[in-house]
């Protein structure tokens, strides 16, 4: 059998630092029972916090080496507490977890990039042919601004709604970009044709019903899955990732909103390997039986799971 303990590691630093060993009296034990094993770790009778697959086998040395390899080889770990004696950290492992949650709160020194499909602003042309820009107070995303610290740097990335119905010239795009700059908004220009294929042809026709646990048993050719719509959806993700990469500053927290951008975490991490990305869904999330009806379910799930944190409205959606 292999004996081991869990550790709490701070990955936010340039070089990961050990915070504490798990505060339990005895070591954990692992006995290989086959070629492949799934190990579920439970902290103080709380729900499973970690799950990893290990290759078993006849060689205990191989298994022990794999466990050592999983145990953060880049870290210089202090010796764990001896068996039979609890951790000497004040308050134990649970208090350290609570402290790490408090350390995650945002303050004036932090910066947040809010990414949504449509910018939370209203646009209109003025008499001189320029742009009048105002905050859209009815936007759900705009209301999130009130929860952010007033001294915090907040940048908004998304499509100006006018680009969904009007093909803008290069001059119009430049003037609109300048008009949005005082509002700390970075525009993503998705033309009417691409918007129709991605938003109407894929998001609303396919994703929206499935996310609301609605599946049509009999579909017409017009309602069947569209490869063209899927390609348009992925192209929109790339356009967004290009703008996010352009305006990103080291340390920014990237906060992606809703089902229109489920692939965006993957696209971002291809270019910004150390970026912190969160994803929040403003829709329900279906059961696995319903979600598996989407032909591109693997790609969508992979995109979502590349986010560091995923938020849902209700616990049951998770």
């Amino acid at each position: 059998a292999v004996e081991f303990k869990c550790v709490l590691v701070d990955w936010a630093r340039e070089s990961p630092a050990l915070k504490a060993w798990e505060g339990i009296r005895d070591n954990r034990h692992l006995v290989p029972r086959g070629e492949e094993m799934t190990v579920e770790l439970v902290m103080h009778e709380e729900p499973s916090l970690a799950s990893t697959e290990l290759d078993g086998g006849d060689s205990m040395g191989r298994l022990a080496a794999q466990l050592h390899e999983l145990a953060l080889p880049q870290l210089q770990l202090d010796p764990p507490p001896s068996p039979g004696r609890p951790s000497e950290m004040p308050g134990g492992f649970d208090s350290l977890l609570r402290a790490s949650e408090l350390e995650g709160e945002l303050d004036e020194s932090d910066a947040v990039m809010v990414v949504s499909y449509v910018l939370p602003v209203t646009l209109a042309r003025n008499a001189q042919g320029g742009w009048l820009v105002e905050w859209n107070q009815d936007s759900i995303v705009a209301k999130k601004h009130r929860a952010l610290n007033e001294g915090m740097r907040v940048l908004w990335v998304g499509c100006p709604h006018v680009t969904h119905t009007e093909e803008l010239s290069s001059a119009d795009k430049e003037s609109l970009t300048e008009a949005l700059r005082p509002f700390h908004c970075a525009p993503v220009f998705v033309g009417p044709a691409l918007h129709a294929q991605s938003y109407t042809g894929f998001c609303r026709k396919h994703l929206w019903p499935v996310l609301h646990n609605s599946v049509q048993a009999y579909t017409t050719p017009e309602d069947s899955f569209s490869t063209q719509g899927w390609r348009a959806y992925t192209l929109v993700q790339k356009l967004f990732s290009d703008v996010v990469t352009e305006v990103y500053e080291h340390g920014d927290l990237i906060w992606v909103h809703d089902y229109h951008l489920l692939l965006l975490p993957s696209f971002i991490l291809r270019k910004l390997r150390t970026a912190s990305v969160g994803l929040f869904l403003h829709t329900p999330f279906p059961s696995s039986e319903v979600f598996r009806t989407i032909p591109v379910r693997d790609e969508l799930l992979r995109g979502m799971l590349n986010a560091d944190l995923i938020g849902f409205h209700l616990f049951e959606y998770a």
Side-chain angles (χ1 to χ4, degrees), residues 192-232:
L194 184 58
H195 167 73
Q197 294 174 359
S198 174
Y199 181 79
T200 306
F202 184 78
C203 292
R204 298 294 296 185
K205 183 180 291 186
H206 297 294
L207 280 185
W208 176 266
V210 171
L211 292 175
H212 288 77
N213 280 290
S214 175
V215 178
Q216 294 182 351
Y218 303 98
T219 60
T220 63
E222 292 77 13
D223 295 329
S224 60
F225 177 80
S226 169
T227 303
Q228 186 179 20
W230 167 246
R231 290 175 178 173

Side-chain angles (χ1 to χ4, degrees), residues 140-279:
I140 295 177
V141 176
K143 292 177 181 178
K144 301 294 183 184
H145 187 279
R146 303 172 186 173
L148 299 176
N149 196 298
E150 292 296 333
M152 189 185 306
R153 184 174 69 85
V154 180
L155 181 65
W156 305 83
V157 176
C159 300
H161 64 83
V162 67
T163 63
H164 298 162
T165 57
E166 181 181 350
E167 194 70 55
L168 299 182
S169 65
S170 298
D172 285 335
K173 291 180 180 179
E174 291 180 5
S175 62
L176 181 53
T177 301
E178 289 300 319
L180 290 170
R181 198 179 304 278
F183 291 79
H184 304 286
C185 291
V188 180
F189 294 106
V190 176
L194 184 58
H195 167 73
Q197 294 174 359
S198 174
Y199 181 79
T200 306
F202 184 78
C203 292
R204 298 294 296 185
K205 183 180 291 186
H206 297 294
L207 280 185
W208 176 266
V210 171
L211 292 175
H212 288 77
N213 280 290
S214 175
V215 178
Q216 294 182 351
Y218 303 98
T219 60
T220 63
E222 292 77 13
D223 295 329
S224 60
F225 177 80
S226 169
T227 303
Q228 186 179 20
W230 167 246
R231 290 175 178 173
Y233 185 79
T234 58
L235 179 55
V236 168
Q237 316 294 307
K238 182 181 183 303
L239 294 177
F240 268 80
S241 67
D242 290 342
V243 175
V244 168
T245 304
E246 180 181 352
V247 300
Y248 175 82
E249 295 183 11
H250 180 71
D252 287 356
L253 171 63
I254 304 174
W255 188 9
V256 181
H257 285 268
D258 225 359
Y259 68 103
H260 315 90
L261 302 171
L262 294 182
L263 298 180
L264 188 55
S266 289
F267 278 79
I268 291 174
L269 291 180
R270 291 174 188 174
K271 302 178 180 180
L272 305 172
R273 303 295 297 178
T274 60
S276 297
V277 182
L279 172 66

